[in-house]
Amino acid sequence: MSSSYTKPAPKFDLSSPSPAYTLASGDKMPIIAYGTFRSNPGEVGPAVFEALKAGYRHLDLAHVYGNEEEIGKVLKQAFDEGIVTREELFITGKLWNSDHDVEIVPKAAVHSLNNLQLDYFDLYLIHFPVCWKHTGLATPSWGASELGNTSLIDTWRAMEDLVDKGVCKNIGVSNYPMMLLHDLVTQARIQPACNQIEVHAYYQRESLVNYCLSRNICVTAHTPLGGGLLNSETWDTPIPLKDDIILEIAKSHGKSPAQVLLRFLLQHGVVVLPKSVKPHRMAENKDIFDFSLTADEMRKIGTLDKYVSYKTNPNPLSAFLGGSDAFSKEGTDIFD
């Protein structure tokens, strides 16, 4: 049986001086974001400040990371010193699992904005497709977490209201598998602008990525390097940074393995979200527009797909431990 498929074209021009993804709303999202997950207190503020000085204009934040207030102080400093204006930034925030109740959603968004000393989010995401019982805005649930009773579509309706009220310019989701996302698409009044997911050379998720691109839903890779050295050291998992094919391609271009992995995703139309607190790494992660991967190199990297999630985001598996909704000795995997 013969078949053919034409991959959706990338929604941004990599030859542009400032490449950006044009969201369905018409808003422009810079295609390289600076991530703030796994940044320690006292470390994240200076790191964000360095990222802004290095030219990053897209910041990826989340309430559960526990660092909004520190980042808010740095944003105010950057605005006051004229390093950047609010209008020049694209800021993404996330609604945590224990804040899904309809009456809590607007309070959670405002709570995060107050922490950040901002008036609006450019993009606000449902962090995970699961509702937990509310535990307080200042105390997002993690540990003995219990499933709540609010449906995902009811939470989405509350998110749509945030757009209507100007609290968020765009709304989207994170960690949504394809059929949950399609279910949302069929019901949403305001379509999701983005799906932020685990996607990298070892977990390429072709069907989900191409579905999103076909619906003009931006795909953002929250772990474009496959979790990096921390995952390798913590869980002894293989990482694409050390793959022989990646190392060979990097050497041929005079680039680092990280730069090759980021470029691979960009050429597939995926927005990337690298993380580092080191200024030289921040600069390196942005320096990926002076080379391109050949069709053969893209094909070679494509063969590295292991079709396995490395759970490089904080999968809420263990957060259920100690509660009545822990259904295995490891907790509860919401993606089963």
Side-chain angles (χ1 to χ4, degrees):
M1 183 176 65
S2 63
S3 63
S4 63
Y5 174 75
T6 302
K7 180 180 175 65
K11 301 291 183 179
F12 46 79
D13 180 4
L14 288 173
S15 66
S16 168
S18 300
Y21 190 110
T22 302
L23 300 174
S25 65
D27 291 336
K28 305 286 188 181
M29 172 196 281
I31 63 173
I32 301 180
Y34 181 73
T36 56
F37 173 51
R38 287 175 172 165
S39 294
N40 297 321
E43 179 182 64
V44 67
V48 168
F49 196 71
E50 287 297 325
L52 293 173
K53 290 196 296 182
Y56 284 85
R57 293 299 179 259
H58 179 180
L59 301 179
D60 184 81
L61 318 176
H63 179 44
V64 78
Y65 298 165
N67 52 24
E68 288 176 329
E69 290 188 40
E70 186 174 344
I71 292 171
K73 293 175 183 177
V74 166
L75 289 175
K76 184 178 186 304
Q77 179 185 355
F79 298 153
D80 290 346
E81 295 182 10
I83 292 172
V84 68
T85 66
R86 172 65 184 94
E87 292 72 26
E88 291 172 326
L89 292 181
F90 189 99
I91 295 182
T92 298
K94 301 186 192 76
L95 178 78
W96 185 238
N97 306 344
S98 53
D99 296 331
H100 276 219
D101 293 345
V102 170
E103 69 277 11
I104 299 299
V105 170
K107 297 177 183 178
V110 170
H111 180 79
S112 288
L113 288 171
N114 288 340
N115 286 341
L116 294 164
Q117 303 185 49
L118 299 175
D119 296 323
Y120 66 90
F121 281 115
D122 295 280
L123 177 64
Y124 196 51
L125 307 177
I126 294 177
H127 203 145
F128 279 100
V130 63
C131 170
W132 290 347
K133 291 182 179 179
H134 184 59
T135 53
L137 294 174
T139 52
S141 178
W142 188 271
S145 301
E146 297 182 21
L147 295 170
N149 298 315
T150 302
S151 69
L152 291 173
I153 191 59
D154 284 343
T155 299
W156 186 257
R157 299 285 184 234
M159 298 276 283
E160 291 175 326
D161 288 343
L162 296 179
V163 178
D164 295 337
K165 295 173 181 175
V167 177
C168 311
K169 290 189 173 184
N170 301 275
I171 51 176
V173 296
S174 181
N175 302 303
Y176 265 55
M178 180 174 164
M179 293 319 298
L180 269 184
L181 183 59
H182 181 64
D183 187 64
L184 173 59
V185 165
T186 62
Q187 300 180 74
R189 172 173 61 87
I190 298 176
Q191 290 293 304
C194 175
N195 188 15
Q196 186 179 122
I197 59 173
E198 177 189 0
V199 57
H200 46 79
Y202 278 3
Y203 191 43
Q204 297 180 25
R205 312 185 77 175
E206 184 177 20
S207 294
L208 176 58
V209 169
N210 289 341
Y211 171 84
C212 290
L213 296 180
S214 74
R215 264 67 174 180
N216 197 20
I217 299 171
C218 175
V219 178
T220 303
H222 60 53
T223 43
L225 307 181
L229 294 175
L230 182 59
N231 271 35
S232 177
E233 294 166 357
T234 303
W235 294 295
D236 194 29
T237 55
I239 55 172
L241 281 169
K242 296 181 177 180
D243 192 281
D244 288 343
I245 288 177
I246 299 299
L247 294 173
E248 177 187 353
I249 293 172
K251 183 178 180 180
S252 71
H253 287 279
K255 291 291 184 178
S256 71
Q259 289 172 314
V260 168
L261 292 168
L262 295 172
R263 182 74 195 196
F264 170 72
L265 290 171
L266 289 181
Q267 287 185 212
H268 271 308
V270 175
V271 173
V272 295
L273 203 166
K275 313 174 188 72
S276 178
V277 297
K278 299 175 181 178
H280 73 282
R281 292 293 185 198
M282 295 179 193
E284 178 184 285
N285 290 339
K286 288 181 87 279
D287 184 24
I288 53 178
F289 297 109
D290 60 350
F291 79 108
S292 61
L293 300 173
T294 66
D296 186 56
E297 289 169 336
M298 291 290 287
R299 181 194 61 77
K300 286 181 179 178
I301 299 174
T303 66
L304 300 180
D305 195 353
K306 298 181 184 298
Y307 305 97
V308 174
S309 168
Y310 286 77
K311 295 182 171 57
T312 50
N313 210 43
N315 184 290
L317 176 74
S318 63
F320 289 92
L321 290 173
S324 60
D325 288 321
F327 299 121
S328 77
K329 62 182 180 180
E330 289 84 18
T332 297
D333 191 338
I334 65 170
F335 299 110
D336 272 358

